Amino acid sequence: MAEKKEDASNVMTFDALYTTNQIQKLKVLLPYIEPSMQKHLAIYIKYMEFQYTLNYVKKHPFTLSGCSLSQPPKPDLRKLCKELCLYSTPEEIRQLEQMQNILQTMETVQEMSQTMNAMQEIFPDLSMDGMTGFPDSSASPVLSMMMNMLTPEQREMYEMFEQSSQDGDNQENGGSHE
């Protein structure tokens, strides 16, 4: 429960910035108003929030870069997906969870790629030519072990990144010889 409150802090900060105590009091009173009048009061509350927001933006013409005082230099997309889940339908949650899994896989592949590059610097004889997910018998035992640690999805993602990296290298090399 505490985690949900922490995840919703940006929403609460935004609401605090663009509303007044008077508007918040009306929201508290809303359930106690006669049911036939609740719709009208709800519309009035939203109108007051809109009017207050317009006035606030006119008085403070700075760019809104976030609701927190310190903005992280690189956005945490997995955290963003988690926060969006609080306000999403079950189908959207499933899609956001898939996105989180993809991001996790990409991070793992990037870490593996960095490790393999570092190993290649340490062991220059280590050949990665012909690597396609599963190392062949002529590959280094350390490299074979590392590749076998990946799940099939991670191997597939690694192959995709490795191929795009090779394609990028080929384009750069091909373009410079013209």
Side-chain angles (χ1 to χ4, degrees):
M1 185 68 176
E3 188 176 302
K4 277 193 172 187
K5 285 183 182 179
E6 185 179 309
D7 291 340
S9 65
N10 286 344
V11 174
M12 293 186 316
T13 303
F14 177 84
D15 286 344
L17 184 62
Y18 290 104
T19 194
T20 65
N21 286 344
Q22 187 67 28
I23 295 170
Q24 298 294 47
K25 289 177 194 174
L26 289 173
K27 290 178 181 181
V28 170
L29 291 172
L30 186 64
Y32 299 101
I33 302 296
E34 183 179 327
S36 64
M37 295 300 294
Q38 286 178 350
K39 292 178 186 176
H40 300 290
L41 183 58
I43 292 170
Y44 181 66
I45 289 169
K46 289 299 178 185
Y47 171 74
M48 287 179 63
E49 284 181 323
F50 179 63
Q51 191 174 32
Y52 178 79
T53 301
L54 286 176
N55 289 331
Y56 185 88
V57 170
K58 284 179 187 175
K59 290 178 185 174
H60 305 91
F62 54 85
T63 302
L64 181 66
S65 62
C67 292
S68 62
L69 294 176
S70 62
Q71 192 72 3
K74 181 180 174 187
D76 184 348
L77 296 178
R78 289 191 321 182
K79 182 179 178 193
L80 175 62
C81 288
K82 186 177 177 184
E83 289 176 7
L84 287 172
C85 284
L86 294 172
Y87 306 101
S88 300
T89 64
E91 175 63 21
E92 292 169 333
I93 290 171
R94 187 185 65 72
Q95 292 172 348
L96 287 166
E97 287 172 346
Q98 285 178 338
M99 180 62 72
Q100 285 176 303
N101 291 337
I102 290 170
L103 292 169
Q104 176 63 47
T105 301
M106 288 172 55
E107 286 176 18
T108 302
V109 167
Q110 184 178 17
E111 290 170 7
M112 291 294 294
S113 179
Q114 290 171 349
T115 302
M116 289 181 182
N117 288 339
M119 289 184 68
Q120 225 172 1
E121 288 177 18
I122 295 170
F123 305 107
D125 295 336
L126 180 67
S127 174
M128 290 185 48
D129 296 336
M131 289 295 294
T132 56
F134 290 103
D136 61 12
S137 58
S138 64
S140 159
V142 176
L143 186 58
S144 297
M145 181 182 72
M146 289 178 65
M147 291 303 291
N148 286 328
M149 290 169 46
L150 296 176
T151 65
E153 293 82 15
Q154 291 169 334
R155 282 189 203 119
E156 184 178 324
M157 190 66 79
Y158 177 79
E159 291 171 9
M160 182 178 71
F161 283 116
E162 187 67 24
Q163 183 62 39
S164 68
S165 172
Q166 289 173 359
D167 291 347
D169 289 345
N170 291 341
Q171 288 177 354
E172 287 176 16
N173 294 336
S176 63
H177 294 315
E178 290 180 21

mmCIF file of all heavy atoms in Angstrom, residues 86-120:
data_model
loop_
_atom_site.group_PDB
_atom_site.id
_atom_site.type_symbol
_atom_site.label_atom_id
_atom_site.label_comp_id
_atom_site.label_asym_id
_atom_site.label_seq_id
_atom_site.Cartn_x
_atom_site.Cartn_y
_atom_site.Cartn_z
ATOM 1 N N LEU A 86 -1.039 2.033 -12.338
ATOM 2 C CA LEU A 86 -2.008 2.421 -11.304
ATOM 3 C C LEU A 86 -3.302 2.968 -11.899
ATOM 4 O O LEU A 86 -4.351 2.920 -11.269
ATOM 5 C CB LEU A 86 -1.397 3.475 -10.379
ATOM 6 C CG LEU A 86 -0.226 3.032 -9.523
ATOM 7 C CD1 LEU A 86 0.400 4.229 -8.809
ATOM 8 C CD2 LEU A 86 -0.671 1.988 -8.523
ATOM 9 N N TYR A 87 -3.223 3.491 -13.128
ATOM 10 C CA TYR A 87 -4.375 4.150 -13.742
ATOM 11 C C TYR A 87 -4.790 3.480 -15.051
ATOM 12 O O TYR A 87 -5.444 4.096 -15.879
ATOM 13 C CB TYR A 87 -4.030 5.625 -13.995
ATOM 14 C CG TYR A 87 -3.549 6.307 -12.738
ATOM 15 C CD1 TYR A 87 -2.195 6.515 -12.518
ATOM 16 C CD2 TYR A 87 -4.439 6.693 -11.746
ATOM 17 C CE1 TYR A 87 -1.742 7.112 -11.352
ATOM 18 C CE2 TYR A 87 -3.995 7.284 -10.579
ATOM 19 C CZ TYR A 87 -2.648 7.493 -10.388
ATOM 20 O OH TYR A 87 -2.203 8.073 -9.225
ATOM 21 N N SER A 88 -4.416 2.225 -15.208
ATOM 22 C CA SER A 88 -4.633 1.554 -16.491
ATOM 23 C C SER A 88 -5.634 0.408 -16.387
ATOM 24 O O SER A 88 -5.852 -0.145 -15.315
ATOM 25 C CB SER A 88 -3.300 1.010 -17.022
ATOM 26 O OG SER A 88 -2.381 2.057 -17.199
ATOM 27 N N THR A 89 -6.183 0.051 -17.541
ATOM 28 C CA THR A 89 -7.080 -1.094 -17.631
ATOM 29 C C THR A 89 -6.242 -2.373 -17.591
ATOM 30 O O THR A 89 -5.026 -2.321 -17.814
ATOM 31 C CB THR A 89 -7.867 -1.064 -18.961
ATOM 32 O OG1 THR A 89 -6.928 -1.211 -20.039
ATOM 33 C CG2 THR A 89 -8.660 0.225 -19.120
ATOM 34 N N PRO A 90 -6.856 -3.534 -17.352
ATOM 35 C CA PRO A 90 -6.089 -4.788 -17.343
ATOM 36 C C PRO A 90 -5.312 -5.023 -18.642
ATOM 37 O O PRO A 90 -4.173 -5.479 -18.601
ATOM 38 C CB PRO A 90 -7.163 -5.863 -17.131
ATOM 39 C CG PRO A 90 -8.233 -5.170 -16.361
ATOM 40 C CD PRO A 90 -8.241 -3.751 -16.906
ATOM 41 N N GLU A 91 -5.894 -4.698 -19.784
ATOM 42 C CA GLU A 91 -5.193 -4.869 -21.061
ATOM 43 C C GLU A 91 -3.991 -3.926 -21.152
ATOM 44 O O GLU A 91 -2.907 -4.317 -21.593
ATOM 45 C CB GLU A 91 -6.156 -4.625 -22.237
ATOM 46 C CG GLU A 91 -5.503 -4.669 -23.604
ATOM 47 C CD GLU A 91 -4.900 -6.028 -23.958
ATOM 48 O OE1 GLU A 91 -5.294 -7.053 -23.356
ATOM 49 O OE2 GLU A 91 -4.002 -6.060 -24.829
ATOM 50 N N GLU A 92 -4.172 -2.686 -20.732
ATOM 51 C CA GLU A 92 -3.064 -1.730 -20.744
ATOM 52 C C GLU A 92 -1.964 -2.162 -19.773
ATOM 53 O O GLU A 92 -0.781 -2.018 -20.076
ATOM 54 C CB GLU A 92 -3.565 -0.330 -20.375
ATOM 55 C CG GLU A 92 -4.463 0.286 -21.425
ATOM 56 C CD GLU A 92 -5.169 1.545 -20.951
ATOM 57 O OE1 GLU A 92 -5.394 1.700 -19.734
ATOM 58 O OE2 GLU A 92 -5.508 2.376 -21.811
ATOM 59 N N ILE A 93 -2.357 -2.710 -18.628
ATOM 60 C CA ILE A 93 -1.382 -3.202 -17.652
ATOM 61 C C ILE A 93 -0.559 -4.320 -18.273
ATOM 62 O O ILE A 93 0.670 -4.359 -18.136
ATOM 63 C CB ILE A 93 -2.075 -3.676 -16.358
ATOM 64 C CG1 ILE A 93 -2.632 -2.471 -15.596
ATOM 65 C CG2 ILE A 93 -1.124 -4.474 -15.474
ATOM 66 C CD1 ILE A 93 -3.519 -2.833 -14.422
ATOM 67 N N ARG A 94 -1.218 -5.232 -18.988
ATOM 68 C CA ARG A 94 -0.509 -6.321 -19.653
ATOM 69 C C ARG A 94 0.508 -5.760 -20.646
ATOM 70 O O ARG A 94 1.653 -6.209 -20.715
ATOM 71 C CB ARG A 94 -1.509 -7.242 -20.356
ATOM 72 C CG ARG A 94 -0.884 -8.515 -20.941
ATOM 73 C CD ARG A 94 -1.874 -9.345 -21.739
ATOM 74 N NE ARG A 94 -2.364 -8.686 -22.938
ATOM 75 C CZ ARG A 94 -1.639 -8.489 -24.049
ATOM 76 N NH1 ARG A 94 -0.403 -8.910 -24.108
ATOM 77 N NH2 ARG A 94 -2.155 -7.879 -25.091
ATOM 78 N N GLN A 95 0.119 -4.765 -21.418
ATOM 79 C CA GLN A 95 1.025 -4.155 -22.391
ATOM 80 C C GLN A 95 2.185 -3.436 -21.698
ATOM 81 O O GLN A 95 3.333 -3.518 -22.146
ATOM 82 C CB GLN A 95 0.256 -3.181 -23.288
ATOM 83 C CG GLN A 95 -0.718 -3.865 -24.215
ATOM 84 C CD GLN A 95 -1.616 -2.883 -24.955
ATOM 85 O OE1 GLN A 95 -1.677 -1.699 -24.629
ATOM 86 N NE2 GLN A 95 -2.331 -3.391 -25.954
ATOM 87 N N LEU A 96 1.886 -2.753 -20.602
ATOM 88 C CA LEU A 96 2.940 -2.065 -19.858
ATOM 89 C C LEU A 96 3.917 -3.062 -19.243
ATOM 90 O O LEU A 96 5.126 -2.829 -19.210
ATOM 91 C CB LEU A 96 2.330 -1.168 -18.776
ATOM 92 C CG LEU A 96 1.649 0.102 -19.288
ATOM 93 C CD1 LEU A 96 0.792 0.736 -18.203
ATOM 94 C CD2 LEU A 96 2.671 1.087 -19.822
ATOM 95 N N GLU A 97 3.397 -4.192 -18.776
ATOM 96 C CA GLU A 97 4.273 -5.228 -18.226
ATOM 97 C C GLU A 97 5.159 -5.822 -19.319
ATOM 98 O O GLU A 97 6.329 -6.123 -19.087
ATOM 99 C CB GLU A 97 3.449 -6.316 -17.527
ATOM 100 C CG GLU A 97 2.864 -5.851 -16.203
ATOM 101 C CD GLU A 97 1.893 -6.826 -15.582
ATOM 102 O OE1 GLU A 97 1.430 -7.778 -16.279
ATOM 103 O OE2 GLU A 97 1.555 -6.645 -14.395
ATOM 104 N N GLN A 98 4.609 -5.982 -20.519
ATOM 105 C CA GLN A 98 5.419 -6.447 -21.645
ATOM 106 C C GLN A 98 6.527 -5.444 -21.950
ATOM 107 O O GLN A 98 7.666 -5.821 -22.221
ATOM 108 C CB GLN A 98 4.561 -6.662 -22.892
ATOM 109 C CG GLN A 98 3.705 -7.902 -22.845
ATOM 110 C CD GLN A 98 2.840 -8.033 -24.100
ATOM 111 O OE1 GLN A 98 2.569 -7.063 -24.803
ATOM 112 N NE2 GLN A 98 2.392 -9.251 -24.365
ATOM 113 N N MET A 99 6.180 -4.169 -21.894
ATOM 114 C CA MET A 99 7.169 -3.120 -22.138
ATOM 115 C C MET A 99 8.269 -3.172 -21.078
ATOM 116 O O MET A 99 9.456 -3.061 -21.401
ATOM 117 C CB MET A 99 6.507 -1.740 -22.137
ATOM 118 C CG MET A 99 7.478 -0.607 -22.382
ATOM 119 S SD MET A 99 8.292 -0.660 -23.986
ATOM 120 C CE MET A 99 6.955 -0.219 -25.043
ATOM 121 N N GLN A 100 7.879 -3.395 -19.820
ATOM 122 C CA GLN A 100 8.869 -3.521 -18.747
ATOM 123 C C GLN A 100 9.798 -4.704 -19.011
ATOM 124 O O GLN A 100 11.013 -4.606 -18.809
ATOM 125 C CB GLN A 100 8.179 -3.709 -17.392
ATOM 126 C CG GLN A 100 7.560 -2.443 -16.838
ATOM 127 C CD GLN A 100 6.804 -2.707 -15.550
ATOM 128 O OE1 GLN A 100 5.895 -3.527 -15.501
ATOM 129 N NE2 GLN A 100 7.197 -2.009 -14.500
ATOM 130 N N ASN A 101 9.238 -5.821 -19.463
ATOM 131 C CA ASN A 101 10.049 -7.004 -19.768
ATOM 132 C C ASN A 101 11.019 -6.722 -20.917
ATOM 133 O O ASN A 101 12.173 -7.144 -20.888
ATOM 134 C CB ASN A 101 9.167 -8.203 -20.091
ATOM 135 C CG ASN A 101 8.415 -8.712 -18.884
ATOM 136 O OD1 ASN A 101 8.821 -8.495 -17.745
ATOM 137 N ND2 ASN A 101 7.308 -9.384 -19.124
ATOM 138 N N ILE A 102 10.552 -6.026 -21.931
ATOM 139 C CA ILE A 102 11.413 -5.668 -23.062
ATOM 140 C C ILE A 102 12.547 -4.771 -22.592
ATOM 141 O O ILE A 102 13.706 -4.970 -22.961
ATOM 142 C CB ILE A 102 10.598 -4.987 -24.186
ATOM 143 C CG1 ILE A 102 9.685 -6.009 -24.864
ATOM 144 C CG2 ILE A 102 11.510 -4.299 -25.198
ATOM 145 C CD1 ILE A 102 8.677 -5.408 -25.820
ATOM 146 N N LEU A 103 12.213 -3.785 -21.756
ATOM 147 C CA LEU A 103 13.246 -2.887 -21.243
ATOM 148 C C LEU A 103 14.270 -3.640 -20.405
ATOM 149 O O LEU A 103 15.470 -3.388 -20.503
ATOM 150 C CB LEU A 103 12.601 -1.758 -20.423
ATOM 151 C CG LEU A 103 11.762 -0.764 -21.228
ATOM 152 C CD1 LEU A 103 10.960 0.138 -20.299
ATOM 153 C CD2 LEU A 103 12.633 0.052 -22.165
ATOM 154 N N GLN A 104 13.797 -4.588 -19.586
ATOM 155 C CA GLN A 104 14.701 -5.401 -18.773
ATOM 156 C C GLN A 104 15.617 -6.231 -19.670
ATOM 157 O O GLN A 104 16.819 -6.324 -19.430
ATOM 158 C CB GLN A 104 13.913 -6.315 -17.829
ATOM 159 C CG GLN A 104 14.774 -7.257 -17.006
ATOM 160 C CD GLN A 104 15.709 -6.528 -16.062
ATOM 161 O OE1 GLN A 104 15.293 -5.625 -15.368
ATOM 162 N NE2 GLN A 104 16.970 -6.915 -16.052
ATOM 163 N N THR A 105 15.046 -6.819 -20.707
ATOM 164 C CA THR A 105 15.838 -7.621 -21.635
ATOM 165 C C THR A 105 16.877 -6.756 -22.335
ATOM 166 O O THR A 105 18.034 -7.162 -22.492
ATOM 167 C CB THR A 105 14.923 -8.310 -22.669
ATOM 168 O OG1 THR A 105 13.989 -9.143 -21.974
ATOM 169 C CG2 THR A 105 15.717 -9.140 -23.653
ATOM 170 N N MET A 106 16.482 -5.560 -22.746
ATOM 171 C CA MET A 106 17.422 -4.659 -23.410
ATOM 172 C C MET A 106 18.569 -4.290 -22.469
ATOM 173 O O MET A 106 19.728 -4.241 -22.906
ATOM 174 C CB MET A 106 16.698 -3.400 -23.900
ATOM 175 C CG MET A 106 15.801 -3.664 -25.098
ATOM 176 S SD MET A 106 14.747 -2.278 -25.569
ATOM 177 C CE MET A 106 15.900 -0.955 -25.795
ATOM 178 N N GLU A 107 18.270 -4.057 -21.200
ATOM 179 C CA GLU A 107 19.326 -3.750 -20.235
ATOM 180 C C GLU A 107 20.268 -4.938 -20.073
ATOM 181 O O GLU A 107 21.490 -4.778 -20.020
ATOM 182 C CB GLU A 107 18.720 -3.377 -18.877
ATOM 183 C CG GLU A 107 18.100 -2.006 -18.836
ATOM 184 C CD GLU A 107 17.430 -1.697 -17.502
ATOM 185 O OE1 GLU A 107 17.717 -2.385 -16.497
ATOM 186 O OE2 GLU A 107 16.618 -0.758 -17.466
ATOM 187 N N THR A 108 19.687 -6.134 -20.011
ATOM 188 C CA THR A 108 20.503 -7.344 -19.865
ATOM 189 C C THR A 108 21.404 -7.529 -21.075
ATOM 190 O O THR A 108 22.592 -7.829 -20.934
ATOM 191 C CB THR A 108 19.598 -8.580 -19.684
ATOM 192 O OG1 THR A 108 18.758 -8.379 -18.542
ATOM 193 C CG2 THR A 108 20.414 -9.844 -19.509
ATOM 194 N N VAL A 109 20.847 -7.340 -22.253
ATOM 195 C CA VAL A 109 21.634 -7.482 -23.487
ATOM 196 C C VAL A 109 22.747 -6.440 -23.521
ATOM 197 O O VAL A 109 23.887 -6.752 -23.883
ATOM 198 C CB VAL A 109 20.726 -7.374 -24.733
ATOM 199 C CG1 VAL A 109 21.534 -7.196 -25.999
ATOM 200 C CG2 VAL A 109 19.824 -8.589 -24.827
ATOM 201 N N GLN A 110 22.434 -5.225 -23.120
ATOM 202 C CA GLN A 110 23.448 -4.174 -23.110
ATOM 203 C C GLN A 110 24.568 -4.527 -22.131
ATOM 204 O O GLN A 110 25.741 -4.369 -22.447
ATOM 205 C CB GLN A 110 22.811 -2.841 -22.729
ATOM 206 C CG GLN A 110 23.784 -1.677 -22.799
ATOM 207 C CD GLN A 110 23.121 -0.357 -22.476
ATOM 208 O OE1 GLN A 110 22.044 -0.303 -21.908
ATOM 209 N NE2 GLN A 110 23.787 0.724 -22.828
ATOM 210 N N GLU A 111 24.205 -5.031 -20.956
ATOM 211 C CA GLU A 111 25.219 -5.441 -19.976
ATOM 212 C C GLU A 111 26.073 -6.579 -20.529
ATOM 213 O O GLU A 111 27.297 -6.575 -20.372
ATOM 214 C CB GLU A 111 24.557 -5.860 -18.666
ATOM 215 C CG GLU A 111 23.949 -4.707 -17.897
ATOM 216 C CD GLU A 111 23.087 -5.156 -16.729
ATOM 217 O OE1 GLU A 111 23.056 -6.372 -16.414
ATOM 218 O OE2 GLU A 111 22.433 -4.292 -16.119
ATOM 219 N N MET A 112 25.411 -7.555 -21.163
ATOM 220 C CA MET A 112 26.154 -8.682 -21.744
ATOM 221 C C MET A 112 27.080 -8.192 -22.851
ATOM 222 O O MET A 112 28.214 -8.650 -22.965
ATOM 223 C CB MET A 112 25.190 -9.735 -22.293
ATOM 224 C CG MET A 112 24.413 -10.486 -21.235
ATOM 225 S SD MET A 112 25.454 -11.519 -20.208
ATOM 226 C CE MET A 112 26.008 -12.729 -21.379
ATOM 227 N N SER A 113 26.610 -7.274 -23.652
ATOM 228 C CA SER A 113 27.422 -6.743 -24.739
ATOM 229 C C SER A 113 28.641 -6.016 -24.184
ATOM 230 O O SER A 113 29.760 -6.177 -24.691
ATOM 231 C CB SER A 113 26.586 -5.800 -25.599
ATOM 232 O OG SER A 113 27.348 -5.250 -26.632
ATOM 233 N N GLN A 114 28.446 -5.222 -23.136
ATOM 234 C CA GLN A 114 29.560 -4.518 -22.509
ATOM 235 C C GLN A 114 30.557 -5.515 -21.921
ATOM 236 O O GLN A 114 31.767 -5.334 -22.025
ATOM 237 C CB GLN A 114 29.055 -3.564 -21.431
ATOM 238 C CG GLN A 114 28.322 -2.369 -21.980
ATOM 239 C CD GLN A 114 27.633 -1.539 -20.913
ATOM 240 O OE1 GLN A 114 27.525 -1.940 -19.762
ATOM 241 N NE2 GLN A 114 27.145 -0.368 -21.299
ATOM 242 N N THR A 115 30.026 -6.562 -21.295
ATOM 243 C CA THR A 115 30.897 -7.594 -20.717
ATOM 244 C C THR A 115 31.700 -8.283 -21.810
ATOM 245 O O THR A 115 32.904 -8.508 -21.669
ATOM 246 C CB THR A 115 30.067 -8.629 -19.939
ATOM 247 O OG1 THR A 115 29.336 -7.957 -18.913
ATOM 248 C CG2 THR A 115 30.938 -9.699 -19.324
ATOM 249 N N MET A 116 31.031 -8.614 -22.908
ATOM 250 C CA MET A 116 31.727 -9.278 -24.010
ATOM 251 C C MET A 116 32.772 -8.365 -24.632
ATOM 252 O O MET A 116 33.873 -8.820 -24.981
ATOM 253 C CB MET A 116 30.728 -9.761 -25.049
ATOM 254 C CG MET A 116 29.916 -10.928 -24.565
ATOM 255 S SD MET A 116 28.775 -11.463 -25.844
ATOM 256 C CE MET A 116 27.928 -12.770 -24.995
ATOM 257 N N ASN A 117 32.465 -7.080 -24.756
ATOM 258 C CA ASN A 117 33.453 -6.132 -25.285
ATOM 259 C C ASN A 117 34.651 -6.032 -24.354
ATOM 260 O O ASN A 117 35.796 -5.993 -24.810
ATOM 261 C CB ASN A 117 32.824 -4.752 -25.496
ATOM 262 C CG ASN A 117 31.883 -4.713 -26.672
ATOM 263 O OD1 ASN A 117 31.952 -5.554 -27.568
ATOM 264 N ND2 ASN A 117 30.982 -3.749 -26.675
ATOM 265 N N ALA A 118 34.380 -5.994 -23.047
ATOM 266 C CA ALA A 118 35.478 -5.934 -22.079
ATOM 267 C C ALA A 118 36.313 -7.200 -22.153
ATOM 268 O O ALA A 118 37.552 -7.138 -22.099
ATOM 269 C CB ALA A 118 34.919 -5.749 -20.672
ATOM 270 N N MET A 119 35.659 -8.335 -22.298
ATOM 271 C CA MET A 119 36.390 -9.605 -22.397
ATOM 272 C C MET A 119 37.219 -9.640 -23.673
ATOM 273 O O MET A 119 38.318 -10.187 -23.685
ATOM 274 C CB MET A 119 35.437 -10.785 -22.325
ATOM 275 C CG MET A 119 34.845 -10.970 -20.934
ATOM 276 S SD MET A 119 33.815 -12.406 -20.811
ATOM 277 C CE MET A 119 35.030 -13.701 -20.975
ATOM 278 N N GLN A 120 36.691 -9.060 -24.729
ATOM 279 C CA GLN A 120 37.435 -9.035 -25.990
ATOM 280 C C GLN A 120 38.679 -8.170 -25.857
ATOM 281 O O GLN A 120 39.716 -8.470 -26.455
ATOM 282 C CB GLN A 120 36.540 -8.504 -27.110
ATOM 283 C CG GLN A 120 36.633 -9.312 -28.356
ATOM 284 C CD GLN A 120 35.607 -8.888 -29.389
ATOM 285 O OE1 GLN A 120 34.826 -7.974 -29.197
ATOM 286 N NE2 GLN A 120 35.626 -9.582 -30.502
#
